Amino acid sequence: MSVTTASPGTFSHIGYVLRGNPVTLLSFVMFAILIIAAVLGPVLVPYDPLASEAANALQPPSWAHWFGTDNLGRDVFSRVVTATRLDLMISISAVTLSLMAGSVLGAVAGYWGGWLDAVLNRVMDTIMAFPLFVLAMGIVAALGNTVENIVYATAVINTPFYARLVRAEVNIRREAGFVHAAKLAGNSDIRVLAMHIFPNALPPMMVQMSLNLGWAILNAAGLSFIGLGVRPPTAEWGIMVAEGANFIVSGEWWLAVFPGLALMFAVFTFNLMGDGLRDIVDPRQRT
Amino acid sequence: MLSVTNLAVRFQTRRGPVDALKGVNLEVASGEILGVVGESGSGKSVTAYSIMRLLEAGGKVVDGTVRYGGVDLSDPSENQMGNIRGREISMIFQNPRAALNPIRRVGDQIGDVLRRHARATRTTAKAEAIKALEAVRIRDAAARVDAYPFELSGGMCQRVVIALALACDPKLLIMDEPTTGLDITTQKAVMDLVADLIRDRGMSAILITHDLGLASGYCDRIMVMRDGEVVERGTPLSLFTAPDHPYTRRLIDATPRLGARIRELLPVEARTPMPERRVENEPLLEVRNLVKTFPSRSGPVHAVRDVSFTIRKGQTLGLVGESGCGKSTTSSMVVRLLDPTSGQIIFRGEDLAATPASRFARDPRRARIQMVFQDATDSLNPRHTSRQTIAEPLRRLGTGASNDRIAELADLVGLPLPLLDRFPHQLSGGQKARVGIARAIALDPDLLILDEPTAALDVSIQAIVLNLLIDLQARLGISYLFVTHDLNVVRLLCDQVIVMQGGAIVEQGPAEQVMRNPATAYTRSLVAAAPQPPALGDAAQ
């Protein structure tokens, strides 16, 4: 294991991971497409996603309307692309919230243990004991039918997974030599936990996070599908699938299929990204 | 009986193929014990695994043959090989706990092997297992047969593993570092037992070890390996008295032994004169009546009982004992990671025990007492480069981590500067040890606790690290508390020594005196158990 050059920087390491695994590269390209659609989507699309044109309703896909038009004559392509921003925003903020909450709770429980650990574990068990989608429905119904509440509900049902993971990762490192060494170097308990132990839990967290992102998108779309959260006429994949479902029987398949495919594309992207993200944040992958 | 000709093994890795064995030849005659000695990466374990056809997925035998009793071992099917393993050739692995299934009773595990080889039936399995345990001199075998591995000590587990390996009367026993992680008295007991069993049953054996002293004590012939090649072979006496190959000579030099001085562990060309060392009369640390009691379900456990000692400025105190004797608990309390139940730790006139361990991290005196940890790999944060690791104490407790200071420290411990930007997994064992030492001396501490700092290192690296520690002590005037179980190392490094047993001090005094004329039976047994290689130049005897 002799390496003659200095260790590569972060960017060259990312480059190395992407070159080493074509699937990771593909997932990052797909992710880039999603981000472009989210940031620039409303500017790029050919039609106003909310403008209806009754004369042009329920047209099949054509050169003018790539994904066809819906029952109000709105361009499905424009709506699918515009919806990316909302769907990504909901899932990313929900996952970020649950990641932060789960990290803090799990790290505290794993490091100090004792009654704190016992109490936090039982609370997490309680959340996980519910059918999670039903729990999310309940939370949105109780807190009020808004986009923020979808975010909170999704965050709550995801938190236990992170808390469990971080707790286990922190717990096995609590008595490691480098933790004692960090204390000898003058780090207080909180600094040891935050700066020395927690970063070592990041690689498995990345896998969990990317899987959860896909799941959070599905969850948000699912809530909209049953009429909670985002409300028409806002463009959102879940609502579009729900509305389009009524027309599948009469042969207008494009209303539901295209937003459904977009949903699938997003979930697929996040599921593929996990391993690559883990390799990027794990310094042991560097040689 | 066993003959290996021109064996070559290649591993496929991410960095391309690596030749682990480059044409190894060896023969084991019937009734003979062959020692295979080498440092990590020399290919000694790979040799054993290739003989047993147990190479992991990446490895492939690319050339050479292994013949056992006239049969080419590459011929039998995997199924037939299963019959050969255990009945003809058996193996003892490095870590006895890992070799036993943790959730099954040891008797059942022995019974499985016996039944697999049709040596017992369901009804007789238990009785046969008890016999097998009695054969390895486990007392009260009828009761131990129902124990789970976690209920047994390390030495006991290794005896069970030996019982497993010998259950079907194999003709050849391969032992891969069978005593790593065992105390020296246990090591001696286990090795004596195996040697007796091998002799009684007329078996042959291969002993793979990094410890030349151990190999010379138990083997008829020894072969020395390096980088996948055999560099020398011979009887222990001829090897020690007249080594042909320079590598063998270096290895023998580096093995701590009676009568050798610390500089003599290094290769001849690296032996610089010993630096002047000053031990002052003024006590730096006084430990008074230190007691640590842990509560447990079956009543309090007295880990440390009323321990008192003094370390003077510039002095090295050795703390010796077997695992569980309380030496690690004592050092944890001195380094202020653990609070004592009672007693005083007086450091430069102030009682450190008055400040709880949880608040000591931010105490100004924190910088004065530092520690070098036992396992260099475990003690380095896998996400930090060497530079970050060394900078950490400077940044937290010092005046800031300048690149100059870090480079100076790296220089002091002999760490090449380009390695500062590597992560721990990119460093070798010796380099990791240097990073750990550089971190510990970064703040110019007055007292350094050395917790078996060389236990995980090869002997040649150990020789360099021990000499480095002596040099640093002479230059910086640090006092050392050296915690170890290796008496040969204590003799080399320490001025005073304390022997602990069951949480209490049983003997203390000047190191030379305690080693030469131990006053207590316990110390005598420790000294006797330390393997002693024949000294260089003993050819006349």
Side-chain angles (χ1 to χ4, degrees), chain B residues 121-143:
Chain B
T121 60
R122 190 187 294 267
T123 43
T124 61
K126 187 161 179 178
E128 291 291 328
I130 293 175
K131 268 193 218 161
L133 289 179
E134 280 167 351
V136 292
R137 297 181 207 152
I138 289 183
R139 261 171 284 141
D140 203 6

Side-chain angles (χ1 to χ4, degrees), chain A residues 229-249:
Chain A
V230 188
R231 265 172 283 189
T234 319
E236 197 279 336
W237 294 332
I239 303 179
M240 292 172 69
V241 174
E243 290 179 340
N246 302 326
F247 295 91
I248 289 178
V249 196

Side-chain angles (χ1 to χ4, degrees), chain B residues 387 390-391 394-395 398-409 420:
Chain B
R387 184 187 300 281
I390 299 172
L394 292 170
R395 206 173 285 145
T399 48
S402 70
N403 278 333
D404 290 346
R405 175 66 179 149
I406 294 171
E408 186 191 338
L409 285 164
L420 280 176

Side-chain angles (χ1 to χ4, degrees), chain B residues 370-447:
Chain B
Q370 291 289 316
M371 181 162 178
V372 178
F373 291 86
Q374 182 171 13
D375 183 346
T377 310
D378 179 57
S379 75
L380 300 180
N381 191 332
R383 299 185 65 86
H384 288 183
T385 61
S386 311
R387 184 187 300 281
Q388 288 170 304
T389 299
I390 299 172
E392 180 79 12
L394 292 170
R395 206 173 285 145
R396 306 295 311 151
L397 292 171
T399 48
S402 70
N403 278 333
D404 290 346
R405 175 66 179 149
I406 294 171
E408 186 191 338
L409 285 164
D411 204 44
L412 262 178
V413 299
L415 185 75
L417 293 184
L419 300 188
L420 280 176
D421 292 305
R422 293 231 193 128
F423 289 100
H425 71 275
Q426 298 167 321
L427 301 172
S428 71
Q431 290 163 348
K432 279 186 267 200
R434 285 165 198 260
V435 175
I437 294 171
R439 167 176 63 191
I441 61 169
L443 296 164
D444 283 328
D446 299 317
L447 175 65

Side-chain angles (χ1 to χ4, degrees), chain A residues 53-102:
Chain A
E53 196 185 340
N56 228 351
L58 292 176
Q59 294 298 310
S62 63
W63 282 116
H65 299 279
W66 290 355
F67 290 179
T69 60
D70 67 4
N71 53 331
L72 297 174
R74 295 174 296 195
D75 180 44
V76 176
F77 176 72
S78 303
R79 284 175 67 74
V80 165
V81 173
T82 319
T84 314
R85 183 183 289 182
L86 183 59
D87 276 288
L88 278 194
M89 246 167 56
I90 294 176
S91 60
I92 289 177
S93 35
V95 167
T96 310
L97 275 181
S98 49
L99 182 88
M100 292 192 302

Side-chain angles (χ1 to χ4, degrees), chain A residues 1-5 7 16 176-178 180-181 183-188 191 195-196 199-200 202-203 281-287, chain B residues 14-15 335 337 358 361-362 366 369-371 373 378-385 392-393 396-397 418 421-423 425-426 439 443:
Chain A
M1 276 277 287
S2 77
V3 186
T4 42
T5 54
S7 115
Y16 170 79
F178 72 83
H180 289 314
K183 286 182 190 164
L184 291 189
N187 291 283
S188 59
R191 271 194 76 90
M195 311 301 287
H196 288 265
N200 280 291
L202 279 179
V281 298
D282 189 353
R284 265 167 298 192
Q285 296 293 325
R286 303 185 186 192
T287 51
Chain B
R14 198 158 106 175
R15 319 177 137 266
V335 82
L337 283 171
S358 56
R362 301 302 298 150
R366 172 72 283 167
I369 305 179
Q370 291 289 316
M371 181 162 178
F373 291 86
D378 179 57
S379 75
L380 300 180
N381 191 332
R383 299 185 65 86
H384 288 183
T385 61
E392 180 79 12
R396 306 295 311 151
L397 292 171
D421 292 305
R422 293 231 193 128
F423 289 100
H425 71 275
Q426 298 167 321
R439 167 176 63 191
L443 296 164

Side-chain angles (χ1 to χ4, degrees), chain A residues 48-258:
Chain A
D48 179 351
L50 297 178
S52 52
E53 196 185 340
N56 228 351
L58 292 176
Q59 294 298 310
S62 63
W63 282 116
H65 299 279
W66 290 355
F67 290 179
T69 60
D70 67 4
N71 53 331
L72 297 174
R74 295 174 296 195
D75 180 44
V76 176
F77 176 72
S78 303
R79 284 175 67 74
V80 165
V81 173
T82 319
T84 314
R85 183 183 289 182
L86 183 59
D87 276 288
L88 278 194
M89 246 167 56
I90 294 176
S91 60
I92 289 177
S93 35
V95 167
T96 310
L97 275 181
S98 49
L99 182 88
M100 292 192 302
S103 298
V104 171
L105 295 176
V108 165
Y111 189 75
W112 278 285
W115 63 268
L116 198 65
D117 185 28
V119 169
L120 283 171
N121 264 328
R122 294 298 85 75
V123 172
M124 293 302 151
D125 285 347
T126 314
I127 296 178
M128 286 171 103
F130 279 99
L132 293 182
F133 190 73
V134 177
L135 179 63
M137 276 167 56
I139 294 173
V140 176
L143 291 181
N145 209 349
T146 64
V147 175
E148 295 92 83
N149 289 339
I150 290 196
V151 171
Y152 296 142
T154 313
V156 167
I157 63 173
N158 278 330
T159 301
F161 297 94
Y162 293 101
R164 276 288 169 85
L165 192 66
V166 174
R167 177 185 173 277
E169 294 286 328
V170 167
N171 209 317
I172 53 174
R173 290 184 175 83
R174 187 165 64 166
E175 292 296 320
F178 72 83
V179 172
H180 289 314
K183 286 182 190 164
L184 291 189
N187 291 283
S188 59
D189 276 340
I190 290 178
R191 271 194 76 90
V192 169
L193 182 55
M195 311 301 287
H196 288 265
I197 305 182
F198 178 68
N200 280 291
L202 279 179
M205 294 281 278
M206 285 299 127
V207 178
Q208 181 73 27
M209 193 179 89
S210 90
L211 290 176
N212 260 358
L213 273 173
W215 197 44
I217 285 202
L218 276 184
N219 192 69
L223 286 173
S224 315
F225 183 89
I226 58 170
L228 286 170
V230 188
R231 265 172 283 189
T234 319
E236 197 279 336
W237 294 332
I239 303 179
M240 292 172 69
V241 174
E243 290 179 340
N246 302 326
F247 295 91
I248 289 178
V249 196
S250 50
E252 286 94 6
W253 50 270
W254 55 90
L255 266 63
V257 165
F258 288 111

